[in-house]
Amino acid sequence: MIHDQARYTREDDALHEPLLSEKGEQTVDVRDSSPLPDDLTREELTLPNPSEPEVARHYTRLSQMNWAIDTGPYPLGSCTMKYNPKFTEDVAADPNAAVHPDRSDRSVQGTLELCYGLQEFLADIGGMDAVTLQPPAGAAGELTGILIAKAYHEHHGNDRSEVVIPASAHGTNFATAAMAGYDVVELPSDENGRVDVEALDAAVGEDTAALMLTNPNTVGLFERDIAEIADIVHDAGGLLYYDGANLNALLGRARPGDMGFDVMHYNVHKTFATPHGGGGPGAGPVGVVEELAEFLPTPHVREINDGNVGYEAVEPERSIGKVHGFTGNWLVLIKAYAYIARLGDAGLADAAAKAVLNANYLAERIDMDVPHGPFHHEFAATAGDRDAADVAKRMLDFGVHPPTTKWPAMVPEAMLTEPTEIENRSSLEDLATAFNVAYADSDEVLADAPSRTTARRIDQASAARTPRLSWQALDDE
Ligand SMILES: *Cc1c(COP(=O)(O)O)cnc(C)c1O
């Protein structure tokens, strides 16, 4: 009954009779209750004391000033902003899920069973032999995977200093390789937007620790030469790393492990509908083939094989150590488990098919040039001689979120668009209209856009670098 104990009651209110100031603000006397030295404490803390309707209206209004997948399409390419079914919140909010992570394995068998089950689901979906749930984001999964590859090479006495990455890759790939201490070798794309196999052959050698690859790549193109690519890397003694951000295009239809990948991460917030972290907890599990399993982070959940049914958290033999606390962000992982279990094999394969269908449908419906194709789950249209960011700002006026702009660089003035499987035909038509009207608008209209949103065009650089996050910021406007 953890729920009931935590609930704030009317009796609690009576115990802490508020001291109301004239303005209706609550003043709390904090002087005597603090164990801190005087120079570190304040004399008085004034907090707003709004009524429940005021609080409800305040937060509802704030939520409407921003964009959300719950209010409209959000085709932000590469990010996969898809709807998170609300039942997964109920599952994660079950009081039984709220176990302290430091309890003994024997007392949390249900938790470990669920971790083990998710490891098995993910291994099966990716064609991997073992999975760790510990990394707290896709980027953290990348670093974990590349550190595992590094430990593997070191254990086998291979002194390798380079990681090869296609120019079209996500920025986190380059950062990961550098953070793991590798030199980055950037690979150009061929004229079809895919890995240039000849250039790869020339770039790979005895210094190559790994090739990091996203498939389908960041403009939604499947790397058709993946078998040859895998041979080139493996023949040189390197490992093949799969960036799983686009795995939603392949679910239930193709598996990285079968393509020759040795290690991969899963962005559960892109593929399995857990929330995007947004600074909060996320998860980026990592899968590996058998040869790499002994290097996985600790603790790792496994089945006890002594005739009894049970689970335990152990340290793999040559573990790279910890990359996060305990077995990872457990409440996020429950949501991934619930989503996979609810959809099942057929549902996951259906999600992938619809994601691909929607991307290709929308690419056909917009007036901009869309190079390459046919696509998997996303495509990069080009705004040509218009500014992609201006077109995107104008799209906001039509009640849709715009796509990712000006990335990847291989498509000039790119508008990287991923409608996801959740949009129906009428919503895709709304998106196409927003694209087409914005693209055709005059320079003056674009320069002034957005004109119908709560906030007009903001200074994005200073909003990111010097954000004002308190409620007072609104009064200052
Ligand atoms: C989102 C993304 C990442 C990083 O994942 P996070 O979970 O956001 O850290 C890596 N590669 C690609 C292609 C991505 O789209």
Side-chain angles (χ1 to χ4, degrees):
M1 299 309 285
I2 295 165
H3 249 34
D4 285 349
Q5 285 168 10
R7 204 169 282 154
Y8 196 66
T9 65
R10 276 185 162 272
E11 281 93 35
D12 292 334
D13 268 335
L15 290 174
H16 303 280
E17 194 124 327
L19 300 162
L20 289 186
S21 72
E22 277 164 26
K23 284 187 286 178
E25 288 167 331
Q26 184 176 347
T27 301
V28 181
D29 189 343
V30 292
R31 264 169 307 188
D32 297 335
S33 55
S34 172
L36 296 171
D38 281 352
D39 60 335
L40 292 181
T41 60
R42 36 184 153 193
E43 299 268 303
E44 206 177 76
L45 176 63
T46 304
L47 298 171
N49 189 31
S51 64
E52 182 171 317
E54 282 178 297
V55 172
R57 286 173 187 169
H58 173 71
Y59 284 108
T60 304
R61 196 164 50 237
L62 277 186
S63 78
Q64 289 171 344
M65 291 169 75
N66 216 328
W67 203 261
I69 196 74
D70 287 352
T71 47
Y74 205 137
L76 202 61
S78 205
C79 298
T80 315
M81 302 298 291
K82 69 183 177 191
Y83 178 74
N84 301 330
K86 302 308 173 216
F87 83 92
T88 63
E89 299 294 331
D90 293 340
V91 176
D94 188 311
N96 292 312
V99 288
H100 193 282
D102 212 10
R103 280 170 54 170
S104 70
D105 288 355
R106 268 187 48 204
S107 71
V108 290
Q109 282 295 297
T111 309
L112 295 179
E113 181 179 356
L114 208 142
C115 286
Y116 183 78
L118 181 57
Q119 290 173 193
E120 293 286 288
F121 277 164
L122 294 176
D124 207 23
I125 289 167
M128 294 285 130
D129 294 316
V131 168
T132 174
L133 305 176
Q134 202 177 51
E142 282 176 38
L143 183 63
T144 304
I146 291 297
L147 289 177
I148 289 171
K150 187 174 190 177
Y152 167 87
H153 286 308
E154 280 170 3
H155 176 65
H156 288 92
N158 301 333
D159 187 16
R160 290 171 180 259
S161 58
E162 293 175 353
V163 168
V164 183
I165 306 173
S168 62
H170 196 262
T172 48
N173 289 190
F174 303 93
T176 291
M179 277 181 76
Y182 285 110
D183 296 330
V184 174
V185 178
E186 195 173 308
L187 204 62
S189 306
D190 70 8
E191 70 277 9
N192 299 314
R194 296 184 171 81
V195 167
D196 184 329
V197 178
E198 264 175 42
L200 175 71
D201 208 11
V204 164
E206 57 187 22
D207 285 332
T208 305
L211 167 70
M212 298 181 81
L213 205 62
T214 313
N215 194 19
N217 71 12
T218 56
V219 290
L221 301 173
F222 189 79
E223 297 289 355
R224 296 176 184 143
D225 297 322
I226 186 59
E228 193 184 344
I229 290 170
D231 284 347
I232 291 172
V233 175
H234 288 151
D235 287 350
L239 295 171
L240 206 55
Y241 184 92
Y242 182 82
D243 178 330
N246 295 343
L247 182 66
N248 50 329
L250 304 183
L251 280 179
R253 294 176 181 269
R255 307 193 308 168
D258 299 336
M259 297 175 201
F261 286 95
D262 304 294
V263 45
M264 66 177 288
H265 75 261
Y266 305 78
N267 301 64
V268 293
H269 47 292
K270 297 180 182 174
T271 308
F272 303 114
T274 68
H276 272 66
V286 166
V288 294
V289 295
E290 187 74 54
E291 292 80 357
L292 300 180
E294 59 183 345
F295 303 100
L296 286 174
T298 185
H300 182 69
V301 180
R302 72 171 181 199
E303 232 174 348
I304 298 171
N305 283 322
D306 66 352
N308 299 310
V309 179
Y311 303 88
E312 60 185 349
V314 296
E315 173 157 359
E317 202 180 338
R318 301 181 206 286
S319 174
I320 59 164
K322 275 182 178 298
V323 296
H324 198 62
F326 302 99
T327 47
N329 283 327
W330 156 244
L331 294 179
V332 175
L333 295 163
I334 293 180
K335 297 177 195 181
Y337 182 100
Y339 181 82
I340 295 170
R342 171 65 69 90
L343 265 68
D345 288 343
L348 293 175
D350 190 45
K354 286 180 178 145
V356 172
L357 175 65
N358 281 359
N360 285 281
Y361 182 85
L362 186 60
E364 283 294 320
R365 297 290 296 141
I366 66 177
D367 297 337
M368 286 178 215
D369 187 26
V370 189
H372 313 306
F375 305 96
H376 272 67
H377 64 303
E378 65 186 344
F379 62 84
T382 173
D385 53 5
R386 317 296 315 262
D387 186 297
D390 284 348
V391 177
K393 293 293 181 201
R394 178 67 174 138
M395 286 178 73
L396 286 164
D397 283 335
F398 302 101
V400 304
H401 194 283
T404 300
T405 54
K406 299 186 189 253
W407 187 81
M410 60 196 262
V411 173
E413 295 300 322
M415 304 198 71
L416 182 62
T417 309
E418 180 179 1
T420 80
E421 75 280 6
I422 65 165
E423 302 305 334
N424 63 20
R425 193 162 164 183
S426 84
S427 140
L428 293 173
E429 291 297 343
D430 289 347
L431 265 171
T433 302
F435 264 103
N436 294 339
V437 175
Y439 182 51
D441 266 335
S442 70
D443 287 344
E444 293 71 43
V445 172
L446 289 200
D448 201 38
S451 57
R452 299 182 197 154
T453 49
T454 311
R456 301 289 299 274
R457 193 177 294 216
I458 56 168
D459 177 351
Q460 298 186 151
S462 54
R465 288 188 193 136
T466 50
R468 288 181 295 160
L469 301 172
S470 78
W471 59 278
Q472 283 133 336
L474 289 175
D475 288 343
D476 296 345
E477 292 293 295

